[in-house]
Amino acid sequence: MSDLLVKPTVFFVPGVGKSGIETIMTVIPKLSGNVAVKVHSGEKGNFNFLRPDYVKPLIDLVNGTVVECNTAYAGARNTTKEHMKLMREHGWSSMKFDIMDSDEPDLILESDNYIEINKDYVGNHMQRYDSMLVISHFKGHPMGGYGGALKQLSIGCASSYGKMYIHGVGDPRRMWTCDQKKFLGAMADAANMVHNYFKDRGGIFYINIMKNISVDCDCIVDPEPPCMEDIGILASNDPVAVDQACLDMITSSNDPGGEKLLDRIRQKEGFYTPKAANQLGLGLLDYELVQL
């Protein structure tokens, strides 16, 4: 939980080029032990996802292993065999990578502090890691409204079954029919459990990259092209603050494409997710933005 007396710092680098990556590297803290680096590997056919060679300096800095989990819908990432094949095609084999739910049973995280769900089913291999660097491509999302650090923690770290469990708010059979706000609350619950898992071990840190900002997620086969100009790279040890900072930048932007993304976020009640996470004590909505 963030210190309630001190605003968390969100570091901001305007621009998303190589120099931006090099600058944000200077604020990444020491992550101990075996470091997992959570990324989005990109669905087959998607052209917006962050490329391996772009984020490789961050991964190399922490000597990390790229981690992913299988999806819960049809596509090229819903089985370990197909997912690993696609990761190689997308270039992730240039570094260590691991499909965390490739082995059963799932690791079950539990919490007495929750809004909708008190269990989170994550990839079994999460137990291999002591700390985590979460690299998120900030963009829109057809289910959550937006995708950032909180989604990477929740849906991203959940096993295939765990994804259905979160979407169905505890009932996988209701994966696509559950109340939207309850689903977002369940995402906040799952994010909180993963954050606490690593916070109590070797640490966890978050980087949101506002590049190729589309209304669609990297899980979409044929996404809409970016609707806004690239903004920059943000980083924090507080996942609520770093997501809220990105949302605030979209809201205050003069880019005409920003309204299109905001429409998607509002339609899916996406602004509720960081509020729910804040309610859980996962992080703060108020922050200090420090430009590097």
Side-chain angles (χ1 to χ4, degrees):
M1 181 174 177
S2 296
D3 188 333
L4 297 179
L5 299 177
V6 180
K7 291 181 183 180
T9 299
V10 176
F11 297 101
F12 172 57
V13 179
V16 295
K18 180 181 178 182
S19 63
I21 292 290
E22 292 172 347
T23 300
I24 212 69
M25 287 168 64
T26 64
V27 300
I28 298 176
K30 172 65 177 177
L31 297 171
S32 65
N34 199 14
V35 183
V37 182
K38 180 65 184 74
V39 303
H40 195 302
S41 55
E43 187 54 79
K44 190 177 183 67
N46 188 280
F47 48 78
N48 289 328
F49 72 96
L50 300 175
R51 299 304 195 270
D53 58 347
Y54 177 70
V55 296
K56 190 174 187 299
L58 301 172
I59 298 162
D60 289 345
L61 178 69
V62 298
N63 190 28
T65 299
V66 168
V67 299
E68 259 281 36
C69 284
N70 293 320
T71 62
Y73 52 83
R77 298 185 302 134
N78 64 342
T79 69
T80 297
K81 181 179 179 180
E82 290 300 310
H83 198 167
M84 290 183 72
K85 178 183 176 184
L86 184 63
M87 288 190 77
R88 293 188 186 99
E89 291 174 358
H90 280 179
W92 295 105
S93 57
S94 64
M95 57 202 81
K96 297 177 291 184
F97 70 90
D98 179 16
I99 307 296
M100 289 197 294
D101 63 335
S102 58
D103 292 323
E104 296 181 344
D106 290 342
L107 173 63
I108 304 174
L109 307 181
E110 298 185 69
S111 176
D112 293 329
N113 174 33
Y114 64 95
I115 297 171
E116 302 292 348
I117 57 174
N118 65 350
K119 292 182 180 180
D120 185 26
Y121 295 81
V122 300
N124 177 286
H125 293 183
M126 187 178 284
Q127 298 170 99
R128 296 177 174 178
Y129 304 100
D130 305 294
S131 54
M132 178 174 275
L133 176 64
V134 182
I135 303 175
S136 304
H137 176 205
F138 190 90
K139 70 286 182 193
H141 194 279
M143 292 294 291
Y146 82 92
L150 294 171
K151 179 181 174 294
Q152 277 280 56
L153 279 177
S154 55
I155 299 296
C157 290
S159 67
S160 182
Y161 175 82
K163 289 175 171 62
M164 294 188 288
Y165 189 86
I166 296 168
H167 274 281
V169 192
D171 184 353
R173 297 169 299 179
R174 300 184 61 203
M175 178 176 175
W176 304 122
T177 60
C178 203
D179 177 82
Q180 176 67 9
K181 206 163 186 179
K182 286 182 176 292
F183 156 58
L184 298 178
M187 275 213 305
D189 289 328
N192 190 45
M193 285 182 258
V194 175
H195 174 87
N196 288 335
Y197 179 87
F198 284 109
K199 183 196 72 172
D200 295 337
R201 287 169 172 74
I204 187 164
F205 194 71
Y206 303 90
I207 297 174
N208 279 7
I209 300 178
M210 303 185 78
K211 180 181 191 293
N212 298 341
I213 308 170
S214 167
V215 299
D216 283 328
C217 178
D218 298 340
C219 60
I220 301 299
V221 174
D222 187 21
E224 288 200 27
C227 62
M228 299 182 67
E229 293 293 325
D230 297 340
I231 293 176
I233 305 172
L234 295 87
S236 181
N237 62 4
D238 185 321
V240 177
V242 77
D243 272 11
Q244 188 61 49
C246 291
L247 291 169
D248 290 343
M249 287 186 177
I250 298 294
T251 302
S252 63
S253 173
N254 293 322
D255 190 318
E259 194 58 38
K260 185 173 184 178
L261 178 54
L262 287 172
D263 285 345
R264 167 62 61 86
I265 297 170
R266 294 186 189 112
Q267 179 189 25
K268 295 297 180 179
E269 302 185 78
F271 287 103
Y272 174 67
T273 307
K275 291 178 181 177
N278 170 251
Q279 180 182 329
L280 289 165
L282 174 52
L284 298 181
L285 298 166
D286 198 11
Y287 53 88
E288 180 182 3
L289 191 69
V290 175
Q291 183 167 324
L292 300 176

